[in-house]
Amino acid sequence: MSNPHIVAVPFPAQGHVIPLMELSQCLVNHGFTVTFVNTDYNHKRVVNALADESQFTDRIHLVSLPDGLEPWEDRNELGQLCEAIQRVMPGKLEELIEKINKGKGDKVTCVIADESSGWALEVAEKLNIRRVAFWPAAAALLALQFSFPKLIHEGIINDDGTVPRSQIMQLAPNMPTMKTADFAWACIGDLTTQKIIFQVMVRNNRTVKLAEWIVCNSAYALEPAAFAMAPEMLPIGPLLASNRLGNSAGYFWPQDSTCLQWLDQQPASSVIYVAFGSFTVFDRTQFQELALALELSQRNSSGL
């Protein structure tokens, strides 16, 4: 009897790859076969960072596809990366799935795609394969994305996603307030990049409707108002690294153990760890403000 075979497609950023890898490992533990699809660029980083590849390859098959950019092009230019991915990766994913299904192993029964990679759901629909959208972040952020028509109608954002004026708003009762200038797409790169990212998110609002389920890396107890606002989201989180028992799969950089001796000398629960992700860029003022905030916390700090 064959195992159900999942093809997992993350968005090519560290904060998207690791949560989907954690979900994939949970599925493997329940008898699934998983083919995990990174871009060529990130696949090399993940493989190079693996402490012990042999403990992993028999559980999840790591494969890669080209992202449409040349080796020398900057993948931190998020708008350019998204445009290249939309142009190249759908066809390559379709070829991969067809190749798997023509082989002797388990046939692909489902595609789990990061909601930010909605093009993969289109491929799955074309091939008549079951579809799941995975959201790796807070439910409130996806609820915000689903609210684009309402935000445009109320003049909070323009049709192209630009923010006409900075203000504090509340998406729904009992949800935390948000500063419009800090909307996820409105604080990335230059204005052109922001408009590209917004249009990608608008398209993802359409493609996510192809999914039979939308699963979210959060919990109802953490964000009851957000889940009430978007009940189509199924909470399955938080997916925790501690569940992987030290397995470092999915990381873009090798683990640095040089801090362990220092950490062992600190009192329990006394260290703040700050992770910035793979796309974050701080200017001098922002970096100084962060450093000052950590200093004012009067806690030991470690950052990535």
Side-chain angles (χ1 to χ4, degrees):
M1 181 176 178
S2 62
N3 294 323
H5 188 165
I6 302 292
V7 169
V9 186
F11 183 79
Q14 183 69 98
H16 294 251
V17 171
I18 289 180
L20 186 53
M21 183 67 74
E22 290 165 351
L23 175 58
S24 296
Q25 292 185 337
C26 290
L27 292 171
V28 165
N29 290 337
H30 285 82
F32 286 77
T33 297
V34 175
T35 296
F36 199 91
V37 185
N38 273 309
T39 61
D40 289 343
Y41 179 79
N42 284 340
H43 176 78
K44 292 177 182 177
R45 301 166 82 183
V46 168
V47 171
N48 290 337
L50 278 175
D52 182 6
E53 187 176 350
S54 63
Q55 68 172 355
F56 183 73
T57 52
D58 62 335
R59 298 170 59 82
I60 297 177
H61 185 209
L62 300 179
V63 302
S64 69
L65 299 175
D67 59 16
L69 294 179
E70 298 295 340
W72 57 84
E73 292 187 277
D74 186 0
R75 283 158 176 80
N76 286 322
E77 291 290 341
L78 194 54
Q80 177 179 264
L81 176 63
C82 287
E83 289 184 327
I85 285 173
Q86 299 273 11
R87 184 176 66 252
V88 172
M89 291 193 72
K92 296 297 184 182
L93 178 63
E94 184 175 343
E95 291 174 6
L96 172 67
I97 292 174
E98 290 177 340
K99 180 180 178 181
I100 292 172
N101 287 341
K102 289 178 181 177
K104 296 181 179 180
D106 299 325
K107 311 305 181 188
V108 176
T109 51
C110 182
V111 169
I112 300 181
D114 192 297
E115 195 275 345
S116 298
S117 297
W119 54 267
L121 299 174
E122 294 177 317
V123 172
E125 184 199 34
K126 179 181 178 181
L127 298 177
N128 197 29
I129 296 171
R130 307 195 77 170
R131 302 165 297 280
V132 177
F134 173 67
W135 184 249
L141 184 54
L142 188 55
L144 175 68
Q145 181 177 316
F146 289 165
S147 300
F148 283 170
K150 176 176 180 287
L151 298 177
I152 292 172
H153 177 73
E154 295 178 353
I156 295 174
I157 60 175
N158 296 322
D159 290 346
D160 59 2
T162 54
V163 178
R165 69 182 187 280
S166 180
Q167 58 180 308
I168 304 295
M169 56 85 65
Q170 190 176 30
L171 199 58
N174 300 320
M175 287 186 68
T177 57
M178 304 178 184
K179 184 185 293 186
T180 56
D182 292 336
F183 284 165
W185 67 93
C187 56
I188 299 176
D190 57 18
L191 186 60
T192 299
T193 298
Q194 292 168 19
K195 291 180 179 180
I196 292 172
I197 299 305
F198 180 76
Q199 289 306 316
V200 170
M201 296 171 78
V202 169
R203 177 175 176 175
N204 290 336
N205 276 349
R206 296 194 298 267
T207 56
V208 76
K209 294 177 182 178
L210 301 175
E212 299 172 70
W213 299 276
I214 305 173
V215 295
C216 178
N217 185 19
S218 186
Y220 186 85
L222 295 174
E223 303 181 84
F227 282 107
M229 182 180 176
E232 62 268 42
M233 289 189 287
L234 176 66
I236 62 166
L239 296 163
L240 302 176
S242 59
N243 294 335
R244 291 183 281 121
L245 300 177
N247 192 326
S248 61
Y251 287 96
F252 290 173
W253 297 276
Q255 292 191 58
D256 183 358
S257 60
T258 58
C259 64
L260 294 180
Q261 183 177 358
W262 177 83
L263 281 171
D264 288 341
Q265 297 172 358
Q266 310 308 314
S269 303
S270 68
V271 176
I272 298 175
Y273 179 76
V274 184
F276 301 134
S278 52
F279 281 104
T280 304
V281 177
F282 289 118
D283 60 30
R284 178 179 290 273
T285 299
Q286 291 171 319
F287 193 82
Q288 289 175 339
E289 287 180 347
L290 176 63
L292 178 61
L294 292 173
E295 182 180 354
L296 291 175
S297 73
Q298 297 183 336
R299 303 282 290 277
N300 295 316
S301 304
S302 176
L304 173 61

